[in-house]
Amino acid sequence: MKRVRTINRDVFNQLARGVDLNYPDGTLVRAKDNAKTYVIADSRKREISPEDFKALLYRERNVKIISDRLLAQLPEAGPIRLAAGDLHTAG
């Protein structure tokens, strides 16, 4: 029983496309030519300031560099901010 079908390019181009990859919560991402770092939470990117990045003991070696296109495709939520030692979110 053959389950592989060949389709032409026009049919292929009509197929819906989504984000290339899903990152688990807590993943740190940054685009190659973008200074902003984001934390993935609930499948959304949330900007984190350099000060909060350091305060939360994140490490540069754990930041995944992704394409500008992929970063733009990730839905955005409010930034992550620290206030009085407590983690809270803006927006």
Side-chain angles (χ1 to χ4, degrees):
M1 179 186 298
K2 187 175 180 180
R3 292 188 175 198
V4 176
R5 291 187 182 178
T6 302
I7 60 173
N8 68 38
R9 186 172 301 276
D10 292 332
V11 172
F12 178 80
N13 288 335
Q14 291 176 17
L15 297 174
R17 296 189 184 157
V19 174
D20 293 336
L21 297 172
N22 291 321
Y23 295 103
D25 284 356
T27 302
L28 300 166
V29 296
R30 180 185 306 133
K32 182 179 175 185
D33 297 322
N34 189 332
K36 294 180 181 178
T37 301
Y38 298 88
V39 178
I40 302 299
D42 296 324
S43 299
R44 296 175 179 269
K45 66 184 177 194
R46 305 186 71 176
E47 184 182 348
I48 184 165
S49 71
E51 297 79 19
D52 290 343
F53 183 94
K54 186 175 180 180
L56 290 168
L57 304 177
Y58 287 135
R59 301 190 187 276
E60 285 293 325
R61 70 177 181 243
N62 294 331
V63 177
K64 299 205 180 297
I65 304 302
I66 62 175
S67 71
D68 291 325
R69 182 182 65 82
L70 181 56
L71 184 65
Q73 288 180 333
L74 293 171
E76 190 164 0
I80 292 180
R81 299 285 184 248
L82 293 177
D86 296 327
L87 181 65
H88 74 283
T89 58

